[in-house]
Amino acid sequence: MSDFPSFPPGFVFGAATAAFQIEGAADEDGRGPSIWDTFARRPGAIVGGDTGDVACDHYHRYREDIALLKELGVGSYRFSVSWARVQPTGAGSGNKAGLDFYDRLVDGLLEAGIEPAVTLYHWDLPQELEDKGGWRHRDTAYRFADYTRLVADSLADRVPRWITLNEPWCSAFLGYANGLHAPGAREGTPALAAAHHLLLGHGLALPVLRDAGVREAGIALNLDRVVPATSGPRDVAAALRAETQRNLIWTEPLLKGRYPESEDDTWAELLHDRSFRRAGDLDVISAPLDFLGINYYTPSVVRDAPYRDPDPLTRQADDNRFEGIGMPQARHTAMDWPVAPHTLRELLAGLKERYGDALPPVHITENGSAEHDLPEPDGTVRDTDRISYLDGHLRSVAAALADGVDVRGYYVWSLLDNFEWAYGYSKRFGLVYVDYATQRRLPKDSYHWYRELIAAQG
Ligand code: FCB
């Protein structure tokens, strides 16, 4: 493919990773345990019993990984800081060795001409904070702001773009409602308290970042493009419930300083549970963002469904009287996710329509696909499906720009194959193949394709 989509001057092309998924070195230099270390040891929690102990060994191989980024030609690299590496118990003074690692990483990136973009929280809460209640507990939001200060004091002079939280939907609902992610709690509605405390933590971290003089601060949400299965009123209402639970529960407080309303009785009741909210919280949460990060992979086609559980949040977060029916006609990735690139443009258009000028500039902070990659004997990986996935989604972003949505950048998930949470190492999202037995990195065809696409922008 030589005919690349084109983007305006200054558009940021990047690649993304997250600490727990690549770093390894779980016990080194004073790092404390995080909820993902604990969860990975729970029998049956992770495919193959995989852990993050070694992962891509990026902690030791970061120089090699920076060289891969440089060769790729990305303008920005999004990585996350492991809270437990820099503040092992989630409170108190910092761990110098841990902070030094990110210091070296940032300097290495800048030397390579790459702008670092830091995510402060990509799901790996220090275990000690979980033992005190985790995100169910309001104090965790204040701990997050303190930790933010620690990292900002060390890196804000050199890191222009900051993301407070990655996908708080996953932290709250997969973590505390259905237990598919760490800490593996299946508690149902208390997950709404976790959602609120995550938002509060974000809001408390913003002024800390501003004080430290950072240029751009935002948050990365996994927003869903929800499509009703039919135009019938029951499915349309189900789609609205899905949209409330997936998207509006985040975008309304962040962009409008209010929680969403719902015409559905149970949801209305849940959303109006104020027991964990305090006066002024929504003002903190809705402080202006410099950008909204959107992680996007696949749409949800939903239809009306009966309640399957008396507590609508306990089982799948999807069981709230709506259910996904998939897209049988679409190609599916190795995650079994339907590929429908045009839905990214639709999502962005819908946000613009709903929020107008209240929608900040957007960065697509993650997009990519897991495929059944297999290296050839000569070390090449012919991942044409990933190339067409990325090509389609980048064209969709270009179309959104033409529609008038202010999209400033796009980060491929991911630079490297890595620890894909509950799927362990069984799913590969990288532009670069990782042979976990030897830690050899093999750039896939998609890596070369992305390099050419970036170079073609001139
Ligand atoms: C997102 C996560 C990221 C990665 C991709 C595939 O939900 O933010 O860490 O696992 O999905």
Side-chain angles (χ1 to χ4, degrees), residues 21 122-123 166-167 170 295 297 337 366 413 420-421 429:
Q21 297 180 273
H122 203 123
W123 306 352
N166 179 71
E167 301 190 358
C170 295
N295 297 352
Y297 292 91
W337 294 345
E366 287 181 24
W413 184 271
E420 180 45 36
W421 309 111
F429 274 90

Side-chain angles (χ1 to χ4, degrees), residues 54-392:
V54 178
C56 305
D57 196 32
H58 171 77
Y59 190 72
H60 300 115
R61 294 169 196 265
Y62 70 96
R63 284 191 195 80
E64 183 183 347
D65 295 335
I66 293 171
L68 283 165
L69 287 161
K70 185 176 181 187
E71 172 66 20
L72 184 57
V74 288
S76 179
Y77 171 54
R78 174 182 173 223
F79 63 93
S80 83
V81 171
S82 155
W83 187 343
R85 196 180 288 292
V86 306
Q87 198 185 37
T89 63
S93 59
N95 172 31
K96 182 161 183 323
L99 286 163
D100 284 351
F101 168 68
Y102 297 105
D103 209 56
R104 294 194 296 277
L105 178 62
V106 162
D107 284 343
L109 289 165
L110 293 172
E111 263 165 48
I114 299 162
E115 276 196 338
V118 163
T119 307
L120 284 157
Y121 186 71
H122 203 123
W123 306 352
D124 44 358
L125 189 73
Q127 182 61 44
E128 279 210 33
L129 291 185
E130 178 56 30
D131 297 342
K132 293 178 178 146
W135 289 107
R136 301 171 196 85
H137 196 36
R138 188 176 173 93
D139 187 57
T140 301
Y142 295 93
R143 299 280 68 74
F144 178 68
D146 285 354
Y147 151 72
T148 298
R149 187 175 309 282
L150 203 65
V151 182
D153 280 350
S154 156
L155 303 180
D157 57 335
R158 284 156 296 151
V159 173
R161 186 168 304 126
W162 292 70
I163 292 159
T164 53
L165 306 177
N166 179 71
E167 301 190 358
W169 185 89
C170 295
S171 301
F173 295 113
L174 303 183
Y176 292 95
N178 66 23
L180 294 176
H181 278 189
R186 292 167 149 264
E187 295 173 1
T189 43
L192 287 168
H196 181 75
H197 297 143
L198 281 151
L199 283 168
L200 182 64
H202 156 83
L204 293 168
L206 280 182
V208 174
L209 293 173
R210 305 259 176 249
D211 272 3
V214 315
R215 196 175 78 199
E216 292 176 46
I219 184 169
L221 303 176
N222 52 319
L223 297 181
D224 213 346
R225 165 67 182 153
V226 183
V227 185
T230 70
S231 55
R234 295 173 66 93
D235 288 341
V236 170
L240 190 60
R241 286 194 290 277
E243 175 126 26
T244 302
Q245 197 257 0
R246 298 285 178 72
N247 298 349
L248 302 181
I249 195 171
W250 311 106
T251 54
E252 289 290 294
L254 287 164
L255 303 180
K256 289 288 186 183
R258 63 187 182 213
Y259 269 105
E261 300 293 330
S262 174
E263 275 148 36
D264 181 76
D265 291 347
T266 305
W267 267 101
E269 208 178 296
L270 289 174
L271 293 167
H272 286 108
D273 178 357
R274 291 170 199 279
S275 55
F276 43 80
R277 294 192 220 159
R278 305 255 172 97
D281 283 0
L282 283 165
D283 297 331
V284 173
I285 291 167
S286 60
L289 297 171
D290 300 310
F291 67 92
L292 177 65
I294 298 177
N295 297 352
Y296 191 76
Y297 292 91
T298 191
S300 294
V301 182
V302 304
R303 70 174 171 213
D304 188 38
Y307 278 120
R308 296 196 195 142
D309 195 294
D311 182 332
L313 283 170
T314 315
R315 291 176 41 145
Q316 285 292 335
D318 289 7
D319 282 354
N320 311 305
R321 283 182 54 211
F322 59 82
E323 67 185 2
I325 59 162
M327 277 186 147
Q329 70 289 6
R331 184 180 85 78
H332 286 62
T333 69
M335 297 294 282
D336 210 24
W337 294 345
V339 179
H342 64 283
T343 57
L344 174 52
R345 177 188 188 174
E346 292 171 359
L347 169 70
L348 293 169
L351 285 166
K352 180 82 194 164
E353 193 182 304
R354 183 181 286 273
Y355 291 109
D357 291 342
L359 181 69
V362 168
H363 278 276
I364 304 302
T365 32
E366 287 181 24
N367 176 245
S369 74
E371 305 293 350
H372 301 284
D373 301 320
L374 210 63
E376 309 280 336
D378 66 356
T380 56
V381 181
R382 305 234 171 276
D383 57 339
T384 45
D385 283 340
R386 181 174 291 102
I387 293 174
S388 92
Y389 179 99
L390 296 173
D391 181 73

